Amino acid sequence: MDSSAKIYTRDFDAVLSQEHARIRTMRGEKPTVNATPVSGGQEEAKPTNDFTGLAISGGGIRSAAFATGVLQGLVAGDLLRKMDYLSTVSGGGYIGASLTWYLTRGNPNPSGGTVPAGTTAANFPFGSGDIGGRTGPRRPALDFIRDHGKYLTPDAGLNLTSAISVVMRSMFTSLLAYLLMVCVLMVPMRWLHLFQDYPLSALPDVGTEFDWLPLEMNPLWWGAVLLVVLLAIKSVVFSLRTAMPILYKQVQYAGLNEAQRIGGRMLTVILVLLVIGSLPYFYEWVQSVWSQILTAGVSTVLGTALSAYEVLKKDDSGRFGTLRLVVGAVLLIYGLLQAGYLISAYVHDWRMLLGLAVATLAIGGVVNINHMGIHRMYRDRLMEVFMPNPETPRTGCWALATEADEMPLEAFCKETVARPYHLINTNLVLTDSRRPKYRGRAGHSFLLSPLYCGSDATGWRYTEKYMKGLWSVLGSRGMTLATAMAISGAAANPNAGVAGRGITCNPIISALMTLLNLRLGYWAVHPKLESSGPFPPNFLVPGLRAGLFGRGLNEDADNIELTDGGHFENLGLYELLRRRLRLIIVSDAAADPDYHFGDLSNALERARVDLGVEINFRPDYPLTDIVPGSHNRAAAQARIPYAGRAFAVADILYLNKSNINKPTEAPDQGVLIYLKSTLTKGLTEDIYGYYKANPEFPNQPTSDQFFDEAQFEAYRELGYQLSLQMVKVNEKEQWL
């Protein structure tokens, strides 16, 4: 650990100074000096912030394939070696993490072992162009990735059925854990006769004057009736206060707000009492035990199947899709309650209840939900393709990636390897934050990098000391590059959606996804802590309160949830703008068939609000030139609606001085080059041919994560040729 580094800090400048020192060492050069007069007539040396960065957008394997070509084009133009930062999101992190992996581990050597890797045509891990390397040697790393574009099903044993079995295993374990919790809750309620019907006159202290009332309900429903009456009285009292304020001079503003909160809580309790109290009436209607078992099972299974289908589709479900999800959630939740109520009838003594409680603690309190869910499968499949052991690409056959599974994140981007320094963007779920900005966005940027992990909301912890406490006793290696890459691509997760919006932000649907453990996100430790305790994240903590009920998902919680960086900002641009770089190149291959530039708009808005950064596109390199048909205006009649060019150029104005690294003279201006996947004139015929056979290209849906060779190659070659077009213009403009 660097003696000048802080283990935990809330000062971003401290993080930035460590990054700058690391990058300058990676450059192998001394800091650029600006001489500035100080007292006494001497001159003080201050390094100039002359850093550059490359951002690679989200978009699954589509973005990874396109960005592979972009990287090759930058190498061919001798530009990648000049990039100081690499900022990746989601699918862009697949190839970004792969580059970081090979730069650290070296290129596979055909004769065995490895040889040093770099960012020049002679040693770039993926070659410079293809096939065989147009300006450099052929690299087995690229062949291996291309051959395994269907990364979720890499071989005959790990195929689609095995992936489905993992999803089913995850759902079964989660449902079992929560069913046991329901049973433990239901048994004492039965023993207290809370499900037994009582007439109103039979309730304690009521008397016999209500004998004429025919109502017979269980205490749960009577409790709901009582709360309704209290709520009505509360409403009347409030009405009188508004009518006669002179009588209530002592009523305080804060008290009125608290009364509103109490009213909301009362409504929630009423709903819960009515639902749980309805269980015995449902089973009175369904007479036989086998019918009761059947209805509970059908409700649970139907709700599970309907919900899992909608969630795993990974596309816009629309109005009817949302309705199906809500119906599925209701069926599943009520089915679990039915099953728990039925099972509780056969628990007759405290020893059986104790056994249920032990089983609940064993499954709900010990099982690591980060490893039990589909996150782990997703992480392992990505790691095996993009971070294989050195000998694997030489054989071309899938194999375990044991080295990447062991190497911690801090082992990468060392001073002795080639740039760029890698920033992995994730989203910190903050749906229960006390700050309206975080709560409204449902999250905030959370960075994982070899030096520091954290965010403005939580502070930053030195990566070497992050998640290394008591969890290490249970086999935790802390944060690894593979895990960070998978977190950054955790697109399907409760309480999170693209830019903080979408059906998965709905509380009911989020609860449903939690019950089924349909989540790619990751429970991590707050950066202020070395560990949250001896046990890994489980179905009880934080799975019950934070996961199921969505309470405590804030910046102060010991357990924080991290999801896809695209849930905050999908280009990887935000963190580069925060660092006030003089030049930023963005590779955007997110699905945008109508070319609305939604991800770019979101990034620009958040940069302006949070960082005080204005971005203005130049009239000679406008965004409109990227839109299909801008080259030939008669696009409707054209066989191929060519765009005028694939990139736009903007001026960056850094207006907010608050994020300047204090010992650094940061620029007030920078240049942004925005490269977008589109079709232009002058591409090779195989790209046009692929487009004619696949009209959705280059915006095929992100739900397609099974690329064959032709599909991967079409996107890679498109990225390569478009980046070369940008490189040629750079030779004239000299942006870099």
Side-chain angles (χ1 to χ4, degrees), residues 171 175 295-311 319-338 506-516 518:
M171 291 193 298
L175 288 173
T295 53
V298 167
S299 179
T300 304
V301 171
L302 183 60
T304 299
L306 192 61
S307 307
Y309 168 74
E310 289 296 332
V311 170
R319 183 182 303 172
F320 293 107
T322 302
L323 178 62
R324 286 192 294 268
L325 272 174
V326 172
V327 170
V330 171
L331 287 173
L332 173 59
I333 293 170
Y334 200 66
L336 277 179
L337 292 174
Q338 292 170 13
N506 181 295
I508 295 177
I509 295 171
S510 293
L512 163 75
M513 294 174 69
T514 301
L515 284 172
L516 298 176
L518 290 175

Side-chain angles (χ1 to χ4, degrees), residues 282-283 286 288-302 335 338-339 342:
F282 176 85
Y283 282 110
V286 182
S288 71
V289 173
W290 286 111
S291 297
Q292 294 169 9
I293 295 174
L294 181 63
T295 53
V298 167
S299 179
T300 304
V301 171
L302 183 60
Q338 292 170 13
L342 180 61

Side-chain angles (χ1 to χ4, degrees), residues 627-638:
V627 178
S630 57
H631 177 79
N632 48 327
R633 296 300 176 183
Q637 289 77 36

Side-chain angles (χ1 to χ4, degrees), residues 127-191:
S128 179
D130 208 51
I131 288 189
R134 289 178 178 144
T135 57
R138 187 185 188 100
R139 298 296 181 189
L142 175 60
D143 293 334
F144 186 76
I145 293 173
R146 182 195 293 110
D147 293 343
H148 291 85
K150 299 179 181 181
Y151 64 91
L152 290 174
T153 56
D155 73 354
L158 294 171
N159 53 22
L160 185 59
T161 55
S162 67
I164 293 173
S165 72
V166 171
V167 175
M168 294 178 65
R169 179 194 67 191
S170 176
M171 291 193 298
F172 171 77
T173 306
S174 181
L175 288 173
L176 177 61
Y178 288 110
L179 175 60
L180 288 171
M181 295 180 203
V182 171
C183 292
V184 170
L185 174 68
M186 292 291 178
V187 171
M189 295 177 72
R190 276 189 179 273
W191 291 358

